[in-house]
Amino acid sequence: MNGPERKEDEVRRLMDGPHPVVPADLGPRAAAIGARLLRRHRIARRAWLLLLVAAVIACTVWATVTEPWAVPPSNTTPPLEGW
């Protein structure tokens, strides 16, 4: 027997054998775990959104206070003509 045939025989043997017993409370436990994961993801998403909003507000306040778009004052005086 080669690779594919041997694998098929192994799978058939596994499928024909006795199946494991499934716990009776498997469904409710899986649902509880899924609900907990969804809740954690929702909280994480809200935290990231809050952080993003805080960063936007902080950048807006900084830009309003420092006015980075304004031309800085000149450090040199213009030449005096007609003196």
Side-chain angles (χ1 to χ4, degrees):
M1 272 189 226
N2 285 346
E5 294 172 4
R6 183 179 52 85
K7 287 182 181 180
E8 279 185 33
D9 288 339
E10 287 179 13
V11 169
R12 280 200 181 98
R13 231 183 355 261
L14 285 173
M15 296 299 285
D16 290 339
H19 299 293
V21 178
V22 177
D25 65 338
L26 182 65
R29 280 192 306 169
I33 291 171
R36 188 170 43 239
L37 280 173
L38 282 175
R39 196 169 32 252
R40 284 182 185 171
H41 285 280
R42 194 177 306 129
I43 289 170
R45 203 174 316 127
R46 286 181 183 167
W48 276 111
L49 184 62
L50 181 64
L51 183 66
L52 178 66
V53 168
V56 167
I57 290 172
C59 286
T60 304
V61 169
W62 168 79
T64 306
V65 170
T66 60
E67 296 180 0
W69 56 86
V71 178
S74 177
N75 292 337
T76 59
T77 57
L80 295 175
E81 296 178 9
W83 226 76

